[in-house]
Structures are given as C-alpha cells and as structure tokens.
Amino acid sequence: RQGQSEGVRRRKDSGVAATMGATAFVGRCMFAFVFLASAVNKLQILSDPIAGAATLASIAPRLAAARALFASKIGFPLYLVLPFTDGQLLLLGTLTEGVGAVLFVADSSLGAKMLMLFTLVVTPVMHAFWLIPDKHGTGYQVEMIMFYKNVAMFGALLFWHATRPVVVGSRRGGTRGIASAADRVKWE
C-alpha cells in the first residue's frame, strides 16, 4: 500500500511540475515578446539606409545629453569607456535586447541579466520625460508611460531573478543536482 500511494504522489507531483513549467514558459514568451519585437523592428529600420539615418538623427541628441551628463558626473568622457559611434551603440543595444529576450525565453539567467542591463541603461536616456518642457503634451505623456513601463519590466525581471530555483547540492535521484519543481514547491 505504501508503495502504491508513493507512485500516485510522484505522478501527481510530475503533473504539477509539468503544468508549472508550461505556464512559466508561456509567461516568459509573453514577457520577452515586447523586447524581441522591439529589437526586430530596430534591426529592420537600421537595415534601411534612409530610415536608419532618420532614427540615428532622432536619438543623437539624447545620446549626446547622456554623454555630457556622464562626463560632468564622472569627470571623463564616455568615449574612453565606450568608444562607439551612435550607430554602433544602437546596434549593441538592439542585439543585447534581442539576444537577451531569446535567452530569457529559454529560461536563462543571462538573458534576464541582459534585459535588465538594457532596460537600466536605455530607460533614463531614451525616456527622459522630465526634460520635456510641455508637461501636458502628448510627447511628455508617452515618454512618461514608456519610462514607467520600463521600470515595471525591470522590477519584474528583478523579481524573476530573485525567485529563481536554487541549485541543490550533489546529484539527487537523477535530477542532475536540481530539485524538481514539485520538490521546490511547498503546498499549504
């Protein structure tokens, strides 16, 4: 009898783990879609010489302001640390965003860290709503919404990273050192 109830519990636990895994995967896909769609859109724009030039021209003032602020606070120009052109910075950011999104869907901690880095660097530079003089204008409202959306996404990534399952010591019952989802969850 004990062996039979143990087998039933294991089947139930594996079903719970499979459901949790599928739900988490769908959630990561939905979350990463925002970053992946944005990265693909930027790559498409950059592939067109006219649209790419217009995009670079539109972000150049924001990058120049960020470089000036960095130099005034740190005491040396940013190009000593990051010797990249505006186009190279845009491409680097876009690749960080896209690759981070794909890795995050694959449940990679590196992907989450890449998205956190991207969001932390890009948000205050590209969505500085406090610098827009017309506080009632559409531009102000859009940038403020984008800023707070990115802050919320950073918070979600931070939460995801902080609640990652912990790798358990040595090999344990064929799980390659990682506790199964059913072992980690304590149902009350």
Side-chain angles (χ1 to χ4, degrees):
R1 244 185 202 261
Q2 181 67 15
Q4 184 180 13
S5 64
E6 180 67 22
V8 169
R9 186 187 69 78
R10 283 189 185 166
R11 280 192 302 279
K12 184 177 178 183
D13 287 349
S14 67
V16 168
T19 302
M20 288 173 53
T23 303
F25 176 74
V26 169
R28 287 191 313 274
C29 287
M30 293 171 72
F31 184 85
F33 177 77
V34 172
F35 293 102
L36 192 57
S38 175
V40 168
N41 184 49
K42 288 175 198 154
L43 288 173
Q44 288 174 338
I45 289 170
L46 290 174
S47 69
D48 177 9
I50 296 171
T55 298
L56 286 173
S58 73
I59 67 167
R62 294 177 187 201
L63 293 175
R67 286 184 177 108
L69 180 63
F70 183 85
S72 72
K73 298 292 182 188
I74 305 301
F76 58 89
L78 183 62
Y79 69 83
L80 293 176
V81 180
L82 292 171
F84 300 116
T85 66
D86 289 353
Q88 290 169 330
L89 282 174
L90 181 58
L91 183 60
L92 181 64
T94 301
L95 292 175
T96 301
E97 182 181 27
V99 171
V102 170
L103 290 175
F104 183 72
V105 168
D107 205 17
S108 167
S109 180
L110 176 62
K113 290 174 184 174
M114 289 173 74
L115 292 176
M116 288 168 65
L117 175 67
F118 171 81
T119 306
L120 187 66
V121 171
V122 168
T123 300
V125 173
M126 298 309 296
H127 303 296
F129 66 92
W130 53 90
L131 298 177
I132 299 173
D134 182 10
K135 306 297 185 213
H136 301 289
T138 305
Y140 179 87
Q141 299 297 322
V142 168
E143 293 302 332
M144 184 174 68
I145 289 167
M146 295 298 284
F147 180 88
Y148 287 121
K149 176 214 37 131
N150 284 5
V151 168
M153 293 182 86
F154 183 86
L157 287 163
L158 191 62
F159 177 80
W160 178 88
H161 196 271
T163 58
R164 293 283 298 155
V166 180
V167 174
V168 182
S170 62
R171 292 184 183 263
R172 184 173 154 195
T175 60
R176 298 183 187 186
I178 301 174
S180 71
D183 290 339
R184 290 189 304 266
V185 176
K186 302 294 182 213
W187 299 95
E188 297 192 40

